[in-house]
Amino acid sequence: MIRKKINQIIVLVIDLLAFAKLKLYHPPRNEKSLLVNFENPQLYHRFFYLMLKFYQLSGYNIYYPMSFSKFRNLRNKDRYLGLILREKKFLSINKNNLTQDFIEINDKMFSPDYFLNYFEKGNQESKCFHVPMSFHPFMYNQQIWDNAVDTEKERLNSIFCYGNFDSKAYLDINRTEFNVISRTELLKFFEQKEQFVSIHHKEDITSETTDQLNEKFIFAIKENYPVAMGDLRELLSNFNFHLCCPGVVMPLCHNIIEAMSVGTIPLIEKEYAEVMYPNLQHKINAIIFKDLRDLNKILSEQLFDFSEMEISYMRKNVLEYYENFLMPESVVNHLNESITNKKLIYLQAEHRSVKFKN
């Protein structure tokens, strides 16, 4: 009990010092300013951090006035949301130097009911804006999200897939209203194929003897090969196709954004493609399958028979989609347009967004 009390006092002192230091921070004057008046950013956890990060990356000064109690709550309760107060010079808790033509965001502009349009409104997006999925937060936090990658190099005409395939965690999606194949089911499906390859090292892909990996289904399963974040986009750029597995409780997962950022073509289930806004399109910027039977047909009859011209066309469209809708500056432009036109903005709240449909 005494040790716990001492630790609480130590944390309190650390927070007091961090708060005092932040109160002294005044960002240099900037014509691009964002004023944040959010009472409940915790609702959106990592996605709130990502939205503010996109404004920062787009050259905005961020102003978020708050009390010490709110500071402590935001800083310590969620490791991703806490980044807004742990990253150096991320935001100011004062309004000093706030320009006259600032952008303001508040709770009333946003909704966590991210999938309402999909399930109840014919998937139309005319009077709203869905803030898109993005890389894993640490990709931006560690400043590795835009590392230079050669997207024009010769690629393996294969499927690449990576990530966690824990059977317990990734079966939760079966208890939602989404009608998608779980990643564990997808893994079982591909494991039965002769072309399935499970890799264990980065060198399995980057070595000079990779011709044997052509026209294969290549998986980097986390327990065998936990791909380092700094290697992700470079590894993805070695392949024509990326198998897009759904997340824990919803189709959307950061892996698809990481793949599209280097022009790797998504191989994706129809329902997943339709909760990307704008929707991905078959043979335009994705290869879309309806179910495992359809996927099997695509694998055996189409996927590895596309011409170089067709692959180049789809890759170009994938990169254009990323640049127009998923890049931080593009997202901020769409956010600002939505704010100006008073559109409702849907921001992911992960489990909370899915609960609206259960």
Side-chain angles (χ1 to χ4, degrees):
M1 179 66 79
I2 295 174
R3 180 176 293 178
K4 182 179 179 181
K5 196 71 176 177
I6 291 171
N7 287 337
Q8 288 174 341
I9 292 170
I10 290 171
V11 172
L12 175 60
V13 171
I14 291 172
D15 287 345
L16 279 166
L17 291 171
F19 184 70
K21 184 177 181 181
L22 190 54
K23 284 193 76 172
L24 295 173
Y25 172 61
H26 301 286
R29 189 165 182 82
N30 185 351
E31 292 306 312
K32 298 167 72 175
S33 300
L34 177 73
L35 177 62
V36 183
N37 278 325
F38 255 80
E39 294 298 321
N40 188 22
Q42 295 92 333
L43 178 61
Y44 304 100
H45 48 97
R46 72 166 65 187
F47 296 102
F48 188 80
Y49 159 74
L50 287 163
M51 180 172 63
L52 296 195
K53 186 65 179 178
F54 279 17
Y55 271 99
Q56 187 210 41
L57 291 170
S58 300
Y60 282 74
N61 283 347
I62 302 171
Y63 299 86
Y64 194 174
M66 67 182 71
S67 65
F68 177 59
S69 60
K70 185 167 188 174
F71 171 87
R72 291 198 78 198
N73 189 276
L74 294 180
R75 189 172 188 265
N76 298 320
K77 292 294 179 67
D78 182 283
R79 65 173 177 164
Y80 300 121
L81 181 55
L83 292 172
I84 69 173
L85 296 168
R86 291 181 178 274
E87 282 189 21
K88 292 182 179 179
K89 298 182 179 180
F90 186 92
L91 56 75
S92 170
I93 57 175
N94 305 293
K95 286 187 179 181
N96 301 43
N97 293 339
L98 182 64
T99 55
Q100 189 173 5
D101 297 325
F102 60 85
I103 300 291
E104 181 178 357
I105 58 173
N106 60 54
D107 303 72
K108 293 179 181 179
M109 298 175 177
F110 293 79
S111 169
D113 197 359
Y114 197 87
F115 302 105
L116 174 68
N117 285 45
Y118 181 78
F119 285 109
E120 299 180 17
K121 297 186 176 182
N123 213 25
Q124 300 301 307
E125 204 193 19
S126 58
K127 296 181 180 180
C128 61
F129 172 63
H130 291 77
V131 180
M133 200 67 183
S134 51
F135 295 165
H136 189 282
F138 286 149
M139 295 278 280
Y140 304 101
N141 171 252
Q142 297 172 17
Q143 301 180 45
I144 56 176
W145 68 277
D146 61 347
N147 287 351
V149 174
D150 181 7
T151 60
E152 299 297 325
K153 65 185 177 185
E154 186 175 351
R155 302 189 183 210
L156 289 165
N157 193 28
S158 296
I159 298 168
F160 183 57
C161 184
Y162 66 96
N164 188 347
F165 289 86
D166 179 79
S167 57
K168 292 182 180 178
Y170 286 93
L171 287 178
D172 285 354
I173 199 167
N174 293 338
R175 292 188 280 273
T176 71
E177 288 193 22
F178 292 111
N179 183 28
V180 293
I181 306 160
S182 72
R183 64 172 57 198
T184 51
E185 292 176 274
L186 285 169
L187 176 60
K188 288 178 182 177
F189 171 84
F190 277 95
E191 280 179 325
Q192 297 170 6
K193 304 290 185 183
E194 288 185 9
Q195 294 147 291
F196 175 82
V197 177
S198 177
I199 60 171
H200 292 73
H201 307 283
K202 178 181 178 180
E203 291 71 25
D204 292 343
I205 295 172
T206 57
S207 67
E208 295 180 2
T209 58
T210 54
D211 287 346
Q212 58 191 351
L213 295 180
N214 218 34
E215 299 191 4
K216 295 290 193 295
F217 312 139
I218 301 164
F219 280 66
I221 301 168
K222 186 177 180 179
E223 62 182 357
N224 298 330
Y225 174 28
V227 182
M229 277 192 187
D231 293 337
L232 272 177
R233 296 175 65 248
E234 181 64 38
L235 285 175
L236 282 159
S237 71
N238 289 287
F239 300 92
N240 279 342
F241 305 101
H242 170 249
L243 175 66
C244 302
C245 296
V248 177
V249 293
M250 61 182 175
L252 293 165
C253 182
H254 57 85
N255 295 12
I256 186 175
I257 314 303
E258 292 149 7
M260 293 183 76
S261 75
V262 294
T264 301
I265 302 161
L267 174 61
I268 188 170
E269 193 167 358
K270 181 176 183 289
E271 186 157 331
Y272 191 162
E274 291 179 353
V275 292
M276 295 278 291
Y277 297 99
N279 302 157
L280 297 182
Q281 297 176 277
H282 186 51
K283 294 185 181 179
I284 303 295
N285 49 28
I287 302 298
I288 299 174
F289 60 92
K290 299 173 185 176
D291 50 32
L292 288 179
R293 183 177 179 181
D294 188 36
L295 174 59
N296 196 54
K297 183 176 181 180
I298 288 171
L299 294 178
S300 60
E301 299 178 10
Q302 299 178 34
L303 196 71
F304 298 140
D305 291 329
F306 287 113
S307 68
E308 288 185 18
M309 186 177 294
E310 289 171 315
I311 292 291
S312 178
Y313 170 75
M314 286 188 283
R315 182 177 301 137
K316 174 178 174 289
N317 291 334
V318 168
L319 287 168
E320 285 184 358
Y321 186 104
Y322 174 75
E323 291 167 3
N324 292 334
F325 302 106
L326 304 175
M327 285 275 288
E329 194 166 353
S330 298
V331 174
V332 166
N333 288 339
H334 289 297
L335 275 164
N336 290 346
E337 184 269 336
S338 300
I339 292 166
T340 300
N341 293 318
K342 297 183 178 180
K343 293 182 179 180
L344 180 62
I345 301 169
Y346 290 109
L347 183 61
Q348 271 281 1
E350 208 161 44
H351 288 77
R352 295 179 182 92
S353 292
V354 174
K355 282 180 181 177
F356 281 97
K357 299 287 141 265
N358 288 340

